[in-house]
Amino acid sequence: MKEKLETVLLQLRQVTRERDELRKRLALSSPGSTFDDCRPSPKPNHDYERLKVQCMKAMSDLQSLQNQHTKTLKRCEEAAKEADFYHTLHSRLLSDQSQLKEDMDTLKRKNSQLVREHNHLQQSCEEMKRLHDEDQKEITDLRSQQQQVFL
């Protein structure tokens, strides 16, 4: 769009130069003419008007594109900020996930250790019960023997 505007402006300048040059030639070649005759006439020619309208349209289009560009830049900046926010959040979550995995591994090791200790204690408890039962039986047998001795 900018190139189109520049092309139109270039054409407008060229036509204006050509018109002014032709007026100067005409004024200088005519007897009794003055330099004042070289000034542009108040009645513009058809090409000039057409180029002027094209220029105004191009300027309007340029303004519209500039507004659109500004809005797009603003949306782009907002998207970049949002992307940065989510990048930071993602990084934090990855760090938290890593820490939680380490904590989970530590808890699994502790759990395994506690399960081993529990199994060991359970075996010890069963052994103690067995010994207790044997001791109780022996005590019962001894009491029974003692009562038979006293009878």
Side-chain angles (χ1 to χ4, degrees):
M1 186 51 115
K2 188 175 181 179
E3 292 173 11
K4 188 176 180 181
L5 176 63
E6 289 177 10
T7 303
V8 169
L9 288 174
L10 185 64
Q11 290 174 349
L12 178 62
R13 287 188 202 113
Q14 181 65 30
V15 168
T16 304
R17 273 195 301 263
E18 289 173 6
R19 183 200 61 205
D20 292 345
E21 183 62 33
L22 289 172
R23 282 192 179 153
K24 285 180 188 177
R25 285 184 189 172
L26 181 62
L28 295 174
S29 66
S30 302
S33 63
T34 63
F35 189 73
D36 290 339
D37 296 336
C38 296
R39 281 194 221 135
S41 66
K43 180 181 172 187
N45 66 20
H46 179 68
D47 287 340
Y48 177 78
E49 283 299 318
R50 181 180 54 80
L51 290 174
K52 184 176 176 182
V53 168
Q54 284 181 350
C55 180
M56 291 176 75
K57 170 83 170 93
M59 293 300 283
S60 173
D61 291 346
L62 177 64
Q63 183 62 43
S64 174
L65 287 172
Q66 285 174 336
N67 291 341
Q68 189 178 4
H69 182 258
T70 301
K71 288 176 187 175
T72 303
L73 279 178
K74 186 175 180 179
R75 284 196 337 256
C76 183
E77 288 171 359
E78 289 170 359
K81 285 179 185 177
E82 188 175 349
D84 185 52
F85 168 78
Y86 284 113
H87 174 73
T88 302
L89 181 61
H90 182 257
S91 296
R92 258 190 268 141
L93 290 173
L94 285 177
S95 175
D96 290 351
Q97 180 187 26
S98 177
Q99 183 61 47
L100 287 171
K101 188 176 183 318
E102 288 177 24
D103 293 349
M104 182 183 71
D105 290 342
T106 301
L107 289 173
K108 280 182 178 180
R109 284 192 300 275
K110 285 182 180 179
N111 185 47
S112 295
Q113 178 65 30
L114 288 172
V115 165
R116 284 192 297 275
E117 287 179 23
H118 172 73
N119 290 339
H120 182 295
L121 289 172
Q122 194 170 20
Q123 287 175 352
S124 295
C125 185
E126 288 173 3
E127 180 64 21
M128 296 293 256
K129 274 184 176 180
R130 188 185 62 75
L131 290 174
H132 175 70
D133 289 345
E134 286 178 7
D135 286 348
Q136 284 292 76
K137 186 176 180 196
E138 189 178 336
I139 288 174
T140 304
D141 288 345
L142 286 173
R143 280 189 184 155
S144 175
Q145 285 176 2
Q146 185 183 16
Q147 283 180 353
Q148 285 179 1
V149 169
F150 285 126
L151 289 174

